[in-house]
Amino acid sequence: MIVEQRIYTLQPGKASEYLELYEREGLAIQEPILGHLIGYFSSEVGPLNRIVHMWGYESFDDRDRRRAELATNEKWQAFVQKLRVLIVEQENLILRPAPFSPIR
């Protein structure tokens, strides 16, 4: 298993707007394609105006296949245009669980 962590830095004060929009429209598009949502978070302490979400995949190939399917989804492409105006920066990490991690 691998975990993809995405961190979005948003325009100041836009986290609640982002989360409401994603919950109302984006999750229903993304979840059936990407599959295993581990968690969706917003920052409260430290760097602010950040959204962090994590998705689990069986392998890099599984991730590549699912992300490619999402990228060609017309509903997703239309939705991303709504989010894009709220995002200042994006950071992606691919994480491999340690052998003793509860998430494997």
Side-chain angles (χ1 to χ4, degrees), residues 33-45:
I33 296 170
L34 296 185
H36 183 62
L37 175 62
I38 293 172
Y40 225 98
F41 312 91
S42 61
S43 61
E44 291 292 326
V45 176

Side-chain angles (χ1 to χ4, degrees), residues 9 11 20 25 27 39 41 45 53-54 69 74 89 102-103:
T9 302
Q11 295 178 32
E20 289 168 9
E25 298 179 36
L27 182 60
F41 312 91
V45 176
H53 53 102
M54 302 172 83
E69 181 181 345
E74 291 179 17
E89 184 176 83
I103 296 174

Side-chain angles (χ1 to χ4, degrees), residues 19-79:
L19 290 171
E20 289 168 9
L21 181 61
Y22 182 78
E23 183 179 19
R24 189 173 59 246
E25 298 179 36
L27 182 60
I29 301 166
Q30 202 172 36
E31 195 168 34
I33 296 170
L34 296 185
H36 183 62
L37 175 62
I38 293 172
Y40 225 98
F41 312 91
S42 61
S43 61
E44 291 292 326
V45 176
L48 300 177
N49 304 303
R50 286 192 169 179
I51 300 295
V52 177
H53 53 102
M54 302 172 83
W55 294 85
Y57 301 99
E58 293 177 19
S59 64
F60 280 104
D61 288 340
D62 180 44
R63 179 201 173 270
D64 288 347
R65 181 185 59 75
R66 290 173 182 271
R67 296 296 311 180
E69 181 181 345
L70 185 65
T72 61
N73 183 289
E74 291 179 17
K75 289 181 183 178
W76 179 252
Q77 290 306 314
F79 173 72

